[in-house]
Amino acid sequence: MTWSNVPGGQPSPSSGDAQRAAAWERGGTTLFPAGRVADRVSTILLLAFGAVMTVVTAVVGIIAVVSATATCDAATGCSPGGYIGGTAIAVGGAFVIGVVTVVLAIGAWLRRRTSWWIAAVGFVLAVACITWGGVVFAQAADHGTASSSVGTA
């Protein structure tokens, strides 16, 4: 069904058919009405970029934790907690923000509201969370390097 082929045509205010008028105002039954395609496409793209970014962060985080903790031992004063904590903040935070963003975007779709801004805010928050986790990881790496270099000097 298209907007130009609505059964019964557009209701007039004097027709008195309140049910048909309400159906016209609701605008059909699809989640992708013709006027909202750009909103839906931008929302889906932002959510997809956020999901890909979270997966890449998880893979890089696992590799970084494994390589950083391979030479980590108590004699050098190194603790893997900072590495694991930074990775958990980055990956876990981005994942939780992604799930909340998807739920809120679908809720906006069902209420026939724009949702691109929800996905954009979620994407920015996920980037901030990944950055925060990266800073925690880098501080743990700097502390571990400083401890091991002090002990060897």
Side-chain angles (χ1 to χ4, degrees):
M1 175 164 85
T2 64
W3 290 108
S4 61
N5 189 19
V6 176
Q10 183 176 6
S12 63
S14 63
S15 70
D17 191 0
Q19 185 179 16
R20 202 169 97 213
W24 176 264
E25 288 176 4
R26 278 196 306 271
T29 59
T30 179
L31 282 177
F32 298 100
R36 305 271 183 179
V37 171
D39 176 59
R40 301 302 190 254
V41 168
S42 60
T43 301
I44 290 170
L45 286 175
L46 283 166
L47 292 173
F49 289 151
V52 168
M53 182 176 60
T54 302
V55 169
V56 168
T57 302
V59 170
V60 169
I62 289 170
I63 293 170
V65 166
V66 168
S67 66
T69 58
T71 59
C72 190
D73 59 356
T76 61
C78 176
S79 172
Y83 302 125
I84 296 170
T87 303
I89 290 170
V91 177
F95 179 77
V96 168
I97 289 170
V99 169
V100 169
T101 302
V102 167
V103 168
L104 290 176
I106 291 173
W109 288 355
L110 294 175
R111 289 187 317 269
R112 307 248 181 245
R113 307 280 187 219
T114 58
S115 58
W116 67 267
W117 65 273
I118 297 170
V121 168
F123 185 80
V124 169
L125 288 175
V127 168
C129 204
I130 289 170
T131 303
W132 179 31
V135 167
V136 170
F137 188 95
Q139 286 177 346
D142 287 346
H143 177 69
T145 304
S147 297
S148 62
S149 64
V150 170
T152 57

